[in-house]
Amino acid sequence: MNKDSLRQLLEQVKSGTLGVDEGLDHLKHMPFEDLTFAKIDHHRALRCGFPEVIYCEGKTTDQVATIFEKCADTGVNVLATRADQQAYEAICDVLPEAEYYELARCITLRQIEAEKSTGTIAVVSAGTADLPVAEEACVTAEIMDQTVVTYYDVGVAGIHRLLAHASDIQDATVVVVVAGMEGALPSVVGGLVSAPVIAVPTSVGYGASFGGLAALLGMLNSCANNIAVVNIDNGFGAGCLATTINRLAERTRESD
Amino acid sequence: MNKDSLRQLLEQVKSGTLGVDEGLDHLKHMPFEDLTFAKIDHHRALRCGFPEVIYCEGKTTDQVATIFEKCADTGVNVLATRADQQAYEAICDVLPEAEYYELARCITLRQIEAEKSTGTIAVVSAGTADLPVAEEACVTAEIMDQTVVTYYDVGVAGIHRLLAHASDIQDATVVVVVAGMEGALPSVVGGLVSAPVIAVPTSVGYGASFGGLAALLGMLNSCANNIAVVNIDNGFGAGCLATTINRLAERTRESD
Amino acid sequence: MNKDSLRQLLEQVKSGTLGVDEGLDHLKHMPFEDLTFAKIDHHRALRCGFPEVIYCEGKTTDQVATIFEKCADTGVNVLATRADQQAYEAICDVLPEAEYYELARCITLRQIEAEKSTGTIAVVSAGTADLPVAEEACVTAEIMDQTVVTYYDVGVAGIHRLLAHASDIQDATVVVVVAGMEGALPSVVGGLVSAPVIAVPTSVGYGASFGGLAALLGMLNSCANNIAVVNIDNGFGAGCLATTINRLAERTRESD
Amino acid sequence: MNKDSLRQLLEQVKSGTLGVDEGLDHLKHMPFEDLTFAKIDHHRALRCGFPEVIYCEGKTTDQVATIFEKCADTGVNVLATRADQQAYEAICDVLPEAEYYELARCITLRQIEAEKSTGTIAVVSAGTADLPVAEEACVTAEIMDQTVVTYYDVGVAGIHRLLAHASDIQDATVVVVVAGMEGALPSVVGGLVSAPVIAVPTSVGYGASFGGLAALLGMLNSCANNIAVVNIDNGFGAGCLATTINRLAERTRESD
Amino acid sequence: MNKDSLRQLLEQVKSGTLGVDEGLDHLKHMPFEDLTFAKIDHHRALRCGFPEVIYCEGKTTDQVATIFEKCADTGVNVLATRADQQAYEAICDVLPEAEYYELARCITLRQIEAEKSTGTIAVVSAGTADLPVAEEACVTAEIMDQTVVTYYDVGVAGIHRLLAHASDIQDATVVVVVAGMEGALPSVVGGLVSAPVIAVPTSVGYGASFGGLAALLGMLNSCANNIAVVNIDNGFGAGCLATTINRLAERTRESD
Amino acid sequence: MNKDSLRQLLEQVKSGTLGVDEGLDHLKHMPFEDLTFAKIDHHRALRCGFPEVIYCEGKTTDQVATIFEKCADTGVNVLATRADQQAYEAICDVLPEAEYYELARCITLRQIEAEKSTGTIAVVSAGTADLPVAEEACVTAEIMDQTVVTYYDVGVAGIHRLLAHASDIQDATVVVVVAGMEGALPSVVGGLVSAPVIAVPTSVGYGASFGGLAALLGMLNSCANNIAVVNIDNGFGAGCLATTINRLAERTRESD
Amino acid sequence: MNKDSLRQLLEQVKSGTLGVDEGLDHLKHMPFEDLTFAKIDHHRALRCGFPEVIYCEGKTTDQVATIFEKCADTGVNVLATRADQQAYEAICDVLPEAEYYELARCITLRQIEAEKSTGTIAVVSAGTADLPVAEEACVTAEIMDQTVVTYYDVGVAGIHRLLAHASDIQDATVVVVVAGMEGALPSVVGGLVSAPVIAVPTSVGYGASFGGLAALLGMLNSCANNIAVVNIDNGFGAGCLATTINRLAERTRESD
Amino acid sequence: MNKDSLRQLLEQVKSGTLGVDEGLDHLKHMPFEDLTFAKIDHHRALRCGFPEVIYCEGKTTDQVATIFEKCADTGVNVLATRADQQAYEAICDVLPEAEYYELARCITLRQIEAEKSTGTIAVVSAGTADLPVAEEACVTAEIMDQTVVTYYDVGVAGIHRLLAHASDIQDATVVVVVAGMEGALPSVVGGLVSAPVIAVPTSVGYGASFGGLAALLGMLNSCANNIAVVNIDNGFGAGCLATTINRLAERTRESD
């Protein structure tokens, strides 16, 4: 419902092809589907670059399955995050081609085949326990047609493991860095690359990690300047934002 | 000191044009200049896309002036942030062409004229009191040759002020959103645009804002998916990262 | 036990219709019923506008059932919050007409039929996961004879969903806004309506939401001026206060 | 810019009395005035019940004076909060009839005489040090034509001081309770009255009051059910909300 | 091992009735019994006024039973707190006369019959859910031979329930006040009595109670001056300290 | 206004010596003096054991002086805490016999000579920087006629300094322990004495002391059982409570 | 890969015994083994003094077993911490000589017999509930060939229990002090010994211990000067660091 | 006052060369000097390895000067930390050979010339603003006769600056790492060296650094295993502990 469609609507009202009351309705309602307990935003793909994603926590299996199917009906690729096995099984009954990524706790349904992006997203993680979050970022970016390369278990206390991959990581368009405990990895990676770095603190740790607070604060205070931070354990958000940035480069490339 | 230059160095050692001890020196030391109290990283421009920036807080006027001049000597554009009038005057004695942005508390020295970026960075702020942080982001991006457009005082409690500019903001390549108090603006902007959004919480507020903590937490928990957050009041970091992302699009454009 | 009844009591003592010791007792004891483990405040309806409500958390099933029955004995409508299925079953054995609202975790017993309020309470919620808290507010207001209209899943990252309902929400006398994560919805609603807004933060979220702290701080720092906040997940309190305010308007209306 | 005016606008476009581009402009821009550093929302009075109020903290004296005069130009009553003597003097040069409330740190300009409200707002405070916040609430409500009655220094450690005024406080339509330290006063007042209670924590206290956090948490956890809370030291917000609620009752009264 | 016994020891060494090495041993070791995993301090009764009490949390059932029996062997009264049913059963096998207080989660063994104290300890609690903590205080004081009177469910939102008991509470030598949520009760009680008040915050509450933090901060910031605070849910500590103070009065009484 | 005076009042009403309206007034108003900005509670001495004390922070010099004089007019001893030199001078103009304790920041006026208590209050402090808080406790207790003995600079890192005074401290009726930094001293003292221990955390420290939070938490978690805690830097509160407890013993002693 | 081996490598390239590409590989990769989900750092023993240790939390039983076996294959001693019974059984199937320490939750495999250190590490703990953390420190130090002596249940509220062991503790080269609750023990021990003290806060406690935060802050603010702190419950880290320091002394001893 | 001197004392009492009362005195009092406001612990040098150090914050200039001189009188080296210019001047009047380190805010008086340690302490810092804390560590270690080498401004965002010095840092016996902001440097250094690492968080930073909390939490959660942490900005503590550890190695060396 941008400036052009608004002008068009007004032209139609002027010419009489659209009645005043109908015009009023168009102006009042943008397209979303109301399931009583949820309003699915089918135009988000146009507005924000990818369809609405289903966050399963706090929703019943029935609610998840219903929303998933409604989304699938529109023919787009569908992604559900923080999903358990039970939700997957409920969806599978109706949509057997849906896939479950156990480690990432994601369900995907690919309905549109598309070419993978030329530029790559590097997903770098500090320790083995950070993998679920890193994998959530990967699955998210991949269902959105991105090329993802992973560098796992390269934490700062054995800095040579990271340095061994430095030049490869430098080739990526965007870098997602996932770390718990002291959350120092994004600062080091940020100083090694010229790409934007999306830092994801994880709740991995104990004691004074306070559920990921230590890693979060560490990343927010990074002395590197090409870093921004998402919520603790928010692999999905990092995957989305990395896709947004990588697409920006693609779109520019294509538009030339 | 990338893979190619490393290979070249080894070839030189092999051919004898470089002695073993000289090679050792090259391998051991990457180029930075040691002022005892600071090590200036002159190669950062190559590695990270822009020269080392001087953060003035906690440094004496003398230290700031010395580092500023050392940076200026290399012929690059120079930026100092969190700078006071006194530091500016000390620098002006030697480099009279330096400029001071009082609201943004930045000193710049432009030594290289360059074309402004084609894509734009939108800097959106919630209230008048957020301006110093928003302006720091602007000055940072501009000294790095970016085209910046500002939308100030468009906070969420008068949502029509923001919606009036929505389509213009949608034209930007990257959006920086600066807000204090409840920090709700990035969520609303994030839902309106498909560009990446860099959210900057400010310490504007009182009472339960706890020095910007409320805005920071709000932004980290945003229900929009194209948002990442930098430190409280870190206009500089947001300007850098926005530049990094905008350049990515430019570079792609140019490389085609 | 207001000024008038106090005067009346003193007149009775003066006239001798009430002995000094009896007067002493009346002055010392206001009417509550002592169950040893709880003191039921049967006069609260007179003093505060609705009868004592039973908060079930931390009480045994037996305690809940006993208090519920004692309240029911006085003939008023009864409400128990944070109630589980087990408590409901124990109450049902004795009071089969009691109703259980599973999502809202409330048990009600309607013993007095009354006309619904003319003015409406709008209950607005940000996401599907906020429904239990929103429903607790609804059930509370409804057992207190209020007309409630709900607007669910209209979070700020898809602002058009909210704007589509703006004029309807503007018709309400009081607005309850329920939101977790960044808690930005009350600020936006507050700027759209002239009614008082009761903001309810929920514990919906993860990571840096810190159990609803982010939403709570966001709401307390709202830049809108017609907002006040209740405790995290306190749908009951919001329903009560909305009722109190709506009744105020009703009472004024009736008294004219 | 409500549904009716929208319909009217569309009728005008249909009839040709308004061109399409003009209609576009009307739809795009709602009325606010742009001072570059601030956007004054002149229609807020229509939308939210009182004009935009100037929050002075973080604004320069010049900015405050300019915004104050622009507001005054529209003929409405004007209120500036958190204002210092210097701002008042700058405003006085141009608008000598402006008044300064030193304790409340407010500047007002009354340009419209109006009848005071029939219902009263009770402002109750715990200690002498809470007065600035209580007075901010009073000045705010009074410039908005409310009848305010104050009950100061009636903290809970001398409960008889409060009880002495209980029946008077019970006569108010809305009660604002201002307290620092342990913030217990709203709970006690809330149990004594049937009116809505707006609780304002103050930063009065030391040590483990943590700048008002103790009072804030205390009020949010109140066991009374007719209470909602505003930000620490936010007398203005409490005054606004109390006005909003009191007007609700007035409006109902008048509309009958 | 006080000054007198030290002098006596030195006299013995001087006179030769105690060898140097034996003296050395006496000086080095004060009397405690070493069970490897715990050192039982049998002289605590002499030094601190009551025997070592067993805190069961974090100890295995076997450890609890062993320590309990070792304590019982010395003939004193024994108290174990935070004890579960299982620990009680293990102890009962050996010491069938031990008693279990389920609500208070305490196990006691009375081996010494003593007269109850003349002065009373009043235990006042705000709500039904605070009972376990209040009961822990009671059981503790009673096994230490104190006379305890309880006043339960007299929270501040129905202040008349408390005032009805005010003069009785004023008769106590020491008052223990137990409250969760906003923790306001000790302030009100503190203003009503001249006795020392021991405030016990409980973890009763939800949301912004943060596990009792709200009540704790409220109590620490009390505007009453005869109050001190113990740890959240520490009914035992309050019972001990109340006993210590009450004994002080008794001892003085007896010594005259 | 206790049960007896209430009965007497009712008898008077019955007999006609007191009119109904007069009786009403007596019942409504307990004796306090209203200075508009403050209500002085002259009966507190009867109810709580010592007169109202003036806390100067957040009050103007004029307010402090006025309240001080009003209190002095009643002939009691007067204490003002957190007082600066300026307040003292204002008071001295009218009451030249008032005394100022600079380190303790207290002003006292002794108008009633009384015998010092037989039992002693020991005030123990950890470091030199804790002295202002310790001295506030001393001045408070002394103006309330207590015998105070001080043991300063006996922190736990040099435990022999404390042990050297152990037997003397064991002679006190009540012990006040003042400590900043890690706040460990009360735990050690608590294990050495059988008297009640009032622990006062101070804001002495830096970094992770967080303004006394570290000491406060340490004291609340003490493994000794005869300890309760007052607010950070609340020497006054500790002095009051110590007096309350010490008087309890005296009163018992005298009553025998 | 130190300066000497770098020089040697360059000499080999110069002489042609190593090709340029091979040299490049050597320079790029330091030795670690890549298991996809983990990178085992086999050279850590050389670089940091002991082999990589397996932290089991957040790893599956399969991952733990695989990494354990890979480590075992290199012939070194192996340590896994935070290990459950299940992990132990999986390892035992392949490496039956592995040992499980239930209290310490550690699995060890000793493959190299070595002499125990001459200097001792004293492990001191405050209460019985702190034993699991203390034991983790012991097992860690012992598998690294250290002589460990333990002093358990010597908390500060019974200071004589600690003082009885003071001279023995003074004989240790390094002291590890483990304490929960108020965490005061390290301060007292620090003042008694001249050895370095490693303080380990534990999560033992309740209420305002906030999961060990109280103990942590207490230890960080210690007024003793020979203390440093590790993370809450980090017995392993303390054992490692104690070993590092004790080896330092041994190495010096041996090198003479 | 160790076991040997205790035995000797007992022997003297036995032989009659020391009277019982004298012996009693010796046992009761260990040697410290009482200045009323401070107790100087002259035997600390024997017990803890270096004399008592004067922490100036919260002490008056007079107190600092008096304590400094009393310490100087015993002939030892003296150190005062957190000292301002004024304190230095007061000391200089009496002890003109005292030296002031402005950046480190330390005053030293060297009265005993000693050989510097053979092993070195490396002091590594992240940024220029961390220098005051780093220098405090250096001055502390140097007055205690340690050889100190510094590596400043080697933060992790330019990791090559650190790596350039890696082999030199590896030569140190102990490493002190000082860093603010995200506090990541100790983790990286910890992975590079086998020496014990003492991590010092600084309050350098802004916004979400929360006065050094971010750096502190980062360091406590370090994934390196040879690290322990001291309080924020506690350069002195780090210098002491580093000295303690370095002396351990020296002592071992010498004793062989």
Side-chain angles (χ1 to χ4, degrees), chain C residues 201-218:
Chain C
T202 72
S203 55
V204 168
Y206 60 90
S209 100
F210 295 121
L213 178 64
L216 172 63
L217 292 183

Side-chain angles (χ1 to χ4, degrees), chain D residues 15-68:
Chain D
S15 68
T17 53
L18 196 73
V20 162
D21 280 318
E22 289 164 309
L24 184 61
D25 269 6
H26 275 90
L27 284 167
K28 263 178 59 190
H29 299 297
M30 287 186 72
F32 52 81
E33 179 171 357
D34 202 326
L35 303 180
T36 322
F37 58 84
K39 295 190 173 47
I40 308 177
D41 184 356
H42 291 313
H43 277 224
R44 183 186 288 257
L46 298 179
R47 209 173 64 249
C48 296
F50 40 82
E52 180 149 346
V53 170
I54 305 153
Y55 174 73
C56 299
E57 232 157 71
K59 296 199 180 74
T60 65
T61 298
D62 274 4
Q63 288 177 336
V64 168
T66 305
I67 301 177
F68 200 101

Side-chain angles (χ1 to χ4, degrees), chain A residues 193-205:
Chain A
V193 304
S194 61
V197 172
I198 304 167
V200 192
T202 72
S203 54
V204 169

